[in-house]
Amino acid sequence: MSSGPAGLGALRRLAGRRKPSVQVRPAAERVDRSALDGRLEALGADGALARRLDEAVGREIASIVSLSSLSAPLALDYIERLARPIPALTPEVGAVAVTRGYVAHLVVEVEPGSFGVTDIPILALPPLRRRGAPPRDLLTRAVKATRRNFDHVCALPPPVWQGFAACLTWRAHDAAGPDPGALVSGDVVDALGRLGWVLRQVDLRYGLAPERR
């Protein structure tokens, strides 16, 4: 999944899909810079680590053209599924959250100790099938990992991830523009960021890497 306009073409096409009759309301309020600062300050040292991680992701993401050939389609599929009942979730906002979650893992891989990490586990997944095909239920497994025991899969101290998720929400709301109806809830942004983190785990398991400039 690209962070640039050209790589978002497939994501933008999702916006024209049919909307369901049941829709999730947008976030009740915008997370702006002031609100973010308050949340991170409340987390103390963990909030400072989260801010440092968010800044490191900002530097690293400039070198990423796309997620891997395996993880990018999975991310697109998940964003499309969530967007059906969540009109506020645009492809662009989904890409921001998933890509930054993925890149956060890349950053922590290089300097785990800088973010309070002592060990980075690899998600337990079955081997590739014949001709290198991934398991048919790979996306289901990845989504489950974002919900069950994510604290273990994440490796980051939970308060640090909480602060990083607040940073993700701020950036997603900033990307959404001025329309309050386009603000995705923090829970949805968190879920997308978690998926990005887990998709990096998927790539590590199968020896894949993102496309770089």
Side-chain angles (χ1 to χ4, degrees):
M1 181 181 303
S2 171
S3 59
L8 290 175
L11 290 174
R12 290 195 177 101
R13 288 195 291 274
L14 298 181
R17 301 292 177 85
R18 179 173 57 88
K19 295 290 191 298
S21 57
V22 177
Q23 297 183 352
V24 177
R25 293 182 178 179
E29 59 183 8
R30 179 183 296 273
V31 175
D32 57 16
R33 188 57 184 261
S34 177
L36 173 65
D37 290 344
R39 294 186 185 187
L40 295 182
E41 288 171 6
L43 292 171
D46 290 317
L49 284 180
R51 191 190 299 276
R52 188 187 307 167
L53 177 58
D54 176 69
E55 293 170 349
V57 167
R59 293 189 294 270
E60 181 67 18
I61 204 169
S63 68
I64 304 296
V65 174
S66 174
L67 304 191
S68 77
S69 59
L70 175 60
S71 57
L74 294 176
L76 289 169
D77 190 358
Y78 189 60
I79 292 170
E80 180 181 18
R81 292 185 190 185
L82 286 186
R84 291 170 187 165
I86 308 175
L89 178 59
T90 64
E92 288 82 359
V93 169
V96 167
V98 174
T99 304
R100 292 187 75 89
Y102 184 101
V103 175
H105 198 295
L106 289 173
V107 169
V108 173
E109 288 170 44
V110 177
E111 296 184 274
S114 297
F115 302 101
V117 174
T118 57
D119 180 53
I120 301 178
I122 302 299
L123 189 64
L125 292 168
L128 296 174
R129 296 182 290 131
R130 290 184 179 180
R131 299 181 181 178
R136 292 188 179 90
D137 62 347
L138 184 54
L139 180 57
T140 298
R141 289 174 179 269
V143 172
K144 284 182 178 179
T146 68
R147 300 168 180 170
R148 301 176 182 176
N149 299 318
F150 180 71
D151 290 350
H152 172 71
V153 174
C154 180
L156 286 169
V160 176
W161 178 266
Q162 181 183 346
F164 180 68
C167 294
L168 283 180
T169 303
W170 166 57
R171 292 189 179 278
H173 286 186
D174 185 63
D179 181 7
L183 302 179
V184 181
S185 74
D187 288 343
V188 173
V189 176
D190 186 9
L192 289 166
R194 290 181 180 213
L195 181 70
W197 182 278
V198 171
L199 288 179
R200 176 57 187 157
Q201 293 263 318
V202 170
D203 282 350
L204 285 173
R205 171 65 178 85
Y206 296 124
L208 298 172
E211 181 183 349
R212 293 183 179 271
R213 299 185 191 282

PDB file of all heavy atoms in Angstrom, residues 122-146:
ATOM      1  N   ILE A 122       6.839 -13.396  16.617  1.00  0.00           N
ATOM      2  CA  ILE A 122       6.360 -13.570  15.246  1.00  0.00           C
ATOM      3  C   ILE A 122       5.036 -14.313  15.302  1.00  0.00           C
ATOM      4  O   ILE A 122       4.922 -15.344  15.957  1.00  0.00           O
ATOM      5  CB  ILE A 122       7.367 -14.352  14.383  1.00  0.00           C
ATOM      6  CG1 ILE A 122       8.713 -13.626  14.363  1.00  0.00           C
ATOM      7  CG2 ILE A 122       6.825 -14.508  12.955  1.00  0.00           C
ATOM      8  CD1 ILE A 122       8.660 -12.240  13.786  1.00  0.00           C
ATOM      9  N   LEU A 123       4.046 -13.792  14.631  1.00  0.00           N
ATOM     10  CA  LEU A 123       2.716 -14.387  14.637  1.00  0.00           C
ATOM     11  C   LEU A 123       2.769 -15.832  14.147  1.00  0.00           C
ATOM     12  O   LEU A 123       3.386 -16.134  13.126  1.00  0.00           O
ATOM     13  CB  LEU A 123       1.797 -13.563  13.732  1.00  0.00           C
ATOM     14  CG  LEU A 123       0.298 -13.879  13.747  1.00  0.00           C
ATOM     15  CD1 LEU A 123      -0.287 -13.593  15.122  1.00  0.00           C
ATOM     16  CD2 LEU A 123      -0.408 -13.049  12.687  1.00  0.00           C
ATOM     17  N   ALA A 124       2.139 -16.725  14.883  1.00  0.00           N
ATOM     18  CA  ALA A 124       2.100 -18.142  14.497  1.00  0.00           C
ATOM     19  C   ALA A 124       1.118 -18.322  13.334  1.00  0.00           C
ATOM     20  O   ALA A 124      -0.084 -18.093  13.484  1.00  0.00           O
ATOM     21  CB  ALA A 124       1.678 -18.999  15.689  1.00  0.00           C
ATOM     22  N   LEU A 125       1.643 -18.738  12.190  1.00  0.00           N
ATOM     23  CA  LEU A 125       0.824 -18.930  10.994  1.00  0.00           C
ATOM     24  C   LEU A 125       1.243 -20.217  10.306  1.00  0.00           C
ATOM     25  O   LEU A 125       2.410 -20.619  10.379  1.00  0.00           O
ATOM     26  CB  LEU A 125       1.006 -17.758  10.024  1.00  0.00           C
ATOM     27  CG  LEU A 125       0.465 -16.395  10.471  1.00  0.00           C
ATOM     28  CD1 LEU A 125       0.977 -15.303   9.545  1.00  0.00           C
ATOM     29  CD2 LEU A 125      -1.054 -16.403  10.499  1.00  0.00           C
ATOM     30  N   PRO A 126       0.322 -20.885   9.608  1.00  0.00           N
ATOM     31  CA  PRO A 126       0.683 -22.097   8.872  1.00  0.00           C
ATOM     32  C   PRO A 126       1.614 -21.773   7.717  1.00  0.00           C
ATOM     33  O   PRO A 126       1.689 -20.624   7.267  1.00  0.00           O
ATOM     34  CB  PRO A 126      -0.671 -22.621   8.373  1.00  0.00           C
ATOM     35  CG  PRO A 126      -1.552 -21.422   8.324  1.00  0.00           C
ATOM     36  CD  PRO A 126      -1.109 -20.547   9.460  1.00  0.00           C
ATOM     37  N   PRO A 127       2.328 -22.765   7.211  1.00  0.00           N
ATOM     38  CA  PRO A 127       3.232 -22.518   6.069  1.00  0.00           C
ATOM     39  C   PRO A 127       2.443 -22.180   4.811  1.00  0.00           C
ATOM     40  O   PRO A 127       1.228 -22.406   4.732  1.00  0.00           O
ATOM     41  CB  PRO A 127       3.971 -23.852   5.929  1.00  0.00           C
ATOM     42  CG  PRO A 127       3.042 -24.866   6.514  1.00  0.00           C
ATOM     43  CD  PRO A 127       2.351 -24.170   7.646  1.00  0.00           C
ATOM     44  N   LEU A 128       3.140 -21.641   3.831  1.00  0.00           N
ATOM     45  CA  LEU A 128       2.514 -21.358   2.547  1.00  0.00           C
ATOM     46  C   LEU A 128       2.053 -22.653   1.896  1.00  0.00           C
ATOM     47  O   LEU A 128       2.648 -23.721   2.093  1.00  0.00           O
ATOM     48  CB  LEU A 128       3.496 -20.633   1.626  1.00  0.00           C
ATOM     49  CG  LEU A 128       3.946 -19.241   2.077  1.00  0.00           C
ATOM     50  CD1 LEU A 128       5.026 -18.725   1.137  1.00  0.00           C
ATOM     51  CD2 LEU A 128       2.775 -18.276   2.113  1.00  0.00           C
ATOM     52  N   ARG A 129       1.013 -22.551   1.104  1.00  0.00           N
ATOM     53  CA  ARG A 129       0.509 -23.727   0.398  1.00  0.00           C
ATOM     54  C   ARG A 129       1.314 -23.950  -0.883  1.00  0.00           C
ATOM     55  O   ARG A 129       2.326 -23.304  -1.115  1.00  0.00           O
ATOM     56  CB  ARG A 129      -0.980 -23.527   0.069  1.00  0.00           C
ATOM     57  CG  ARG A 129      -1.860 -23.431   1.324  1.00  0.00           C
ATOM     58  CD  ARG A 129      -3.332 -23.281   0.970  1.00  0.00           C
ATOM     59  NE  ARG A 129      -3.617 -21.969   0.397  1.00  0.00           N
ATOM     60  CZ  ARG A 129      -4.310 -21.764  -0.717  1.00  0.00           C
ATOM     61  NH1 ARG A 129      -4.748 -22.810  -1.416  1.00  0.00           N
ATOM     62  NH2 ARG A 129      -4.551 -20.548  -1.160  1.00  0.00           N
ATOM     63  N   ARG A 130       0.875 -24.848  -1.702  1.00  0.00           N
ATOM     64  CA  ARG A 130       1.587 -25.156  -2.947  1.00  0.00           C
ATOM     65  C   ARG A 130       1.726 -23.916  -3.797  1.00  0.00           C
ATOM     66  O   ARG A 130       0.845 -23.059  -3.834  1.00  0.00           O
ATOM     67  CB  ARG A 130       0.833 -26.230  -3.735  1.00  0.00           C
ATOM     68  CG  ARG A 130       0.881 -27.615  -3.090  1.00  0.00           C
ATOM     69  CD  ARG A 130       0.190 -28.633  -3.972  1.00  0.00           C
ATOM     70  NE  ARG A 130       0.238 -29.974  -3.396  1.00  0.00           N
ATOM     71  CZ  ARG A 130      -0.288 -31.048  -3.965  1.00  0.00           C
ATOM     72  NH1 ARG A 130      -0.917 -30.930  -5.137  1.00  0.00           N
ATOM     73  NH2 ARG A 130      -0.208 -32.226  -3.378  1.00  0.00           N
ATOM     74  N   ARG A 131       2.853 -23.808  -4.469  1.00  0.00           N
ATOM     75  CA  ARG A 131       3.165 -22.679  -5.347  1.00  0.00           C
ATOM     76  C   ARG A 131       3.222 -21.357  -4.582  1.00  0.00           C
ATOM     77  O   ARG A 131       3.014 -20.285  -5.156  1.00  0.00           O
ATOM     78  CB  ARG A 131       2.159 -22.591  -6.503  1.00  0.00           C
ATOM     79  CG  ARG A 131       2.141 -23.827  -7.396  1.00  0.00           C
ATOM     80  CD  ARG A 131       1.147 -23.671  -8.517  1.00  0.00           C
ATOM     81  NE  ARG A 131       1.112 -24.866  -9.362  1.00  0.00           N
ATOM     82  CZ  ARG A 131       0.294 -25.025 -10.403  1.00  0.00           C
ATOM     83  NH1 ARG A 131      -0.551 -24.038 -10.739  1.00  0.00           N
ATOM     84  NH2 ARG A 131       0.323 -26.137 -11.114  1.00  0.00           N
ATOM     85  N   GLY A 132       3.455 -21.444  -3.296  1.00  0.00           N
ATOM     86  CA  GLY A 132       3.635 -20.237  -2.506  1.00  0.00           C
ATOM     87  C   GLY A 132       2.379 -19.488  -2.150  1.00  0.00           C
ATOM     88  O   GLY A 132       2.441 -18.334  -1.716  1.00  0.00           O
ATOM     89  N   ALA A 133       1.218 -20.117  -2.310  1.00  0.00           N
ATOM     90  CA  ALA A 133      -0.040 -19.441  -1.993  1.00  0.00           C
ATOM     91  C   ALA A 133      -0.219 -19.343  -0.477  1.00  0.00           C
ATOM     92  O   ALA A 133       0.080 -20.291   0.255  1.00  0.00           O
ATOM     93  CB  ALA A 133      -1.215 -20.198  -2.606  1.00  0.00           C
ATOM     94  N   PRO A 134      -0.722 -18.204   0.036  1.00  0.00           N
ATOM     95  CA  PRO A 134      -0.937 -18.059   1.477  1.00  0.00           C
ATOM     96  C   PRO A 134      -2.160 -18.847   1.925  1.00  0.00           C
ATOM     97  O   PRO A 134      -2.987 -19.259   1.095  1.00  0.00           O
ATOM     98  CB  PRO A 134      -1.170 -16.550   1.636  1.00  0.00           C
ATOM     99  CG  PRO A 134      -1.781 -16.142   0.332  1.00  0.00           C
ATOM    100  CD  PRO A 134      -1.083 -16.984  -0.709  1.00  0.00           C
ATOM    101  N   PRO A 135      -2.319 -19.084   3.207  1.00  0.00           N
ATOM    102  CA  PRO A 135      -3.530 -19.747   3.713  1.00  0.00           C
ATOM    103  C   PRO A 135      -4.779 -18.969   3.288  1.00  0.00           C
ATOM    104  O   PRO A 135      -4.766 -17.734   3.248  1.00  0.00           O
ATOM    105  CB  PRO A 135      -3.348 -19.704   5.236  1.00  0.00           C
ATOM    106  CG  PRO A 135      -1.875 -19.565   5.437  1.00  0.00           C
ATOM    107  CD  PRO A 135      -1.380 -18.744   4.288  1.00  0.00           C
ATOM    108  N   ARG A 136      -5.840 -19.694   2.965  1.00  0.00           N
ATOM    109  CA  ARG A 136      -7.056 -19.041   2.487  1.00  0.00           C
ATOM    110  C   ARG A 136      -7.666 -18.118   3.546  1.00  0.00           C
ATOM    111  O   ARG A 136      -8.327 -17.148   3.217  1.00  0.00           O
ATOM    112  CB  ARG A 136      -8.082 -20.094   2.071  1.00  0.00           C
ATOM    113  CG  ARG A 136      -7.687 -20.889   0.830  1.00  0.00           C
ATOM    114  CD  ARG A 136      -8.823 -21.771   0.367  1.00  0.00           C
ATOM    115  NE  ARG A 136      -8.477 -22.522  -0.833  1.00  0.00           N
ATOM    116  CZ  ARG A 136      -7.915 -23.713  -0.835  1.00  0.00           C
ATOM    117  NH1 ARG A 136      -7.613 -24.302   0.322  1.00  0.00           N
ATOM    118  NH2 ARG A 136      -7.635 -24.336  -1.967  1.00  0.00           N
ATOM    119  N   ASP A 137      -7.472 -18.463   4.805  1.00  0.00           N
ATOM    120  CA  ASP A 137      -8.078 -17.674   5.881  1.00  0.00           C
ATOM    121  C   ASP A 137      -7.081 -16.689   6.498  1.00  0.00           C
ATOM    122  O   ASP A 137      -7.226 -16.311   7.662  1.00  0.00           O
ATOM    123  CB  ASP A 137      -8.636 -18.597   6.962  1.00  0.00           C
ATOM    124  CG  ASP A 137      -7.558 -19.447   7.644  1.00  0.00           C
ATOM    125  OD1 ASP A 137      -6.421 -19.513   7.114  1.00  0.00           O
ATOM    126  OD2 ASP A 137      -7.845 -20.027   8.709  1.00  0.00           O
ATOM    127  N   LEU A 138      -6.110 -16.255   5.734  1.00  0.00           N
ATOM    128  CA  LEU A 138      -5.048 -15.425   6.289  1.00  0.00           C
ATOM    129  C   LEU A 138      -5.580 -14.111   6.854  1.00  0.00           C
ATOM    130  O   LEU A 138      -5.173 -13.684   7.947  1.00  0.00           O
ATOM    131  CB  LEU A 138      -3.982 -15.148   5.231  1.00  0.00           C
ATOM    132  CG  LEU A 138      -2.751 -14.368   5.697  1.00  0.00           C
ATOM    133  CD1 LEU A 138      -2.094 -15.041   6.900  1.00  0.00           C
ATOM    134  CD2 LEU A 138      -1.747 -14.230   4.555  1.00  0.00           C
ATOM    135  N   LEU A 139      -6.475 -13.445   6.154  1.00  0.00           N
ATOM    136  CA  LEU A 139      -6.997 -12.182   6.664  1.00  0.00           C
ATOM    137  C   LEU A 139      -7.773 -12.411   7.959  1.00  0.00           C
ATOM    138  O   LEU A 139      -7.647 -11.626   8.908  1.00  0.00           O
ATOM    139  CB  LEU A 139      -7.892 -11.503   5.627  1.00  0.00           C
ATOM    140  CG  LEU A 139      -8.499 -10.169   6.070  1.00  0.00           C
ATOM    141  CD1 LEU A 139      -7.414  -9.179   6.467  1.00  0.00           C
ATOM    142  CD2 LEU A 139      -9.385  -9.578   4.972  1.00  0.00           C
ATOM    143  N   THR A 140      -8.542 -13.479   8.011  1.00  0.00           N
ATOM    144  CA  THR A 140      -9.287 -13.784   9.239  1.00  0.00           C
ATOM    145  C   THR A 140      -8.333 -14.001  10.409  1.00  0.00           C
ATOM    146  O   THR A 140      -8.563 -13.500  11.514  1.00  0.00           O
ATOM    147  CB  THR A 140     -10.143 -15.047   9.037  1.00  0.00           C
ATOM    148  OG1 THR A 140     -11.092 -14.806   7.992  1.00  0.00           O
ATOM    149  CG2 THR A 140     -10.887 -15.411  10.321  1.00  0.00           C
ATOM    150  N   ARG A 141      -7.244 -14.703  10.155  1.00  0.00           N
ATOM    151  CA  ARG A 141      -6.250 -14.932  11.211  1.00  0.00           C
ATOM    152  C   ARG A 141      -5.617 -13.612  11.658  1.00  0.00           C
ATOM    153  O   ARG A 141      -5.404 -13.390  12.846  1.00  0.00           O
ATOM    154  CB  ARG A 141      -5.162 -15.887  10.701  1.00  0.00           C
ATOM    155  CG  ARG A 141      -5.606 -17.331  10.530  1.00  0.00           C
ATOM    156  CD  ARG A 141      -4.502 -18.153   9.879  1.00  0.00           C
ATOM    157  NE  ARG A 141      -4.857 -19.546   9.704  1.00  0.00           N
ATOM    158  CZ  ARG A 141      -4.619 -20.506  10.580  1.00  0.00           C
ATOM    159  NH1 ARG A 141      -3.997 -20.228  11.713  1.00  0.00           N
ATOM    160  NH2 ARG A 141      -4.969 -21.756  10.339  1.00  0.00           N
ATOM    161  N   ALA A 142      -5.326 -12.761  10.683  1.00  0.00           N
ATOM    162  CA  ALA A 142      -4.693 -11.487  11.016  1.00  0.00           C
ATOM    163  C   ALA A 142      -5.625 -10.608  11.837  1.00  0.00           C
ATOM    164  O   ALA A 142      -5.211  -9.989  12.829  1.00  0.00           O
ATOM    165  CB  ALA A 142      -4.279 -10.762   9.734  1.00  0.00           C
ATOM    166  N   VAL A 143      -6.893 -10.554  11.444  1.00  0.00           N
ATOM    167  CA  VAL A 143      -7.859  -9.730  12.180  1.00  0.00           C
ATOM    168  C   VAL A 143      -8.054 -10.266  13.594  1.00  0.00           C
ATOM    169  O   VAL A 143      -8.133  -9.494  14.562  1.00  0.00           O
ATOM    170  CB  VAL A 143      -9.199  -9.664  11.423  1.00  0.00           C
ATOM    171  CG1 VAL A 143     -10.264  -8.977  12.280  1.00  0.00           C
ATOM    172  CG2 VAL A 143      -9.033  -8.912  10.105  1.00  0.00           C
ATOM    173  N   LYS A 144      -8.099 -11.575  13.730  1.00  0.00           N
ATOM    174  CA  LYS A 144      -8.233 -12.158  15.070  1.00  0.00           C
ATOM    175  C   LYS A 144      -7.046 -11.778  15.947  1.00  0.00           C
ATOM    176  O   LYS A 144      -7.203 -11.531  17.148  1.00  0.00           O
ATOM    177  CB  LYS A 144      -8.350 -13.677  14.968  1.00  0.00           C
ATOM    178  CG  LYS A 144      -9.712 -14.174  14.496  1.00  0.00           C
ATOM    179  CD  LYS A 144      -9.766 -15.689  14.480  1.00  0.00           C
ATOM    180  CE  LYS A 144     -11.148 -16.181  14.059  1.00  0.00           C
ATOM    181  NZ  LYS A 144     -11.193 -17.680  14.010  1.00  0.00           N
ATOM    182  N   ALA A 145      -5.867 -11.717  15.355  1.00  0.00           N
ATOM    183  CA  ALA A 145      -4.673 -11.362  16.126  1.00  0.00           C
ATOM    184  C   ALA A 145      -4.726  -9.924  16.618  1.00  0.00           C
ATOM    185  O   ALA A 145      -4.074  -9.576  17.602  1.00  0.00           O
ATOM    186  CB  ALA A 145      -3.420 -11.585  15.281  1.00  0.00           C
ATOM    187  N   THR A 146      -5.494  -9.076  15.942  1.00  0.00           N
ATOM    188  CA  THR A 146      -5.624  -7.688  16.401  1.00  0.00           C
ATOM    189  C   THR A 146      -6.553  -7.583  17.600  1.00  0.00           C
ATOM    190  O   THR A 146      -6.579  -6.547  18.273  1.00  0.00           O
ATOM    191  CB  THR A 146      -6.174  -6.767  15.285  1.00  0.00           C
ATOM    192  OG1 THR A 146      -7.547  -7.103  15.006  1.00  0.00           O
ATOM    193  CG2 THR A 146      -5.345  -6.889  14.027  1.00  0.00           C
TER     194      THR A 146
END
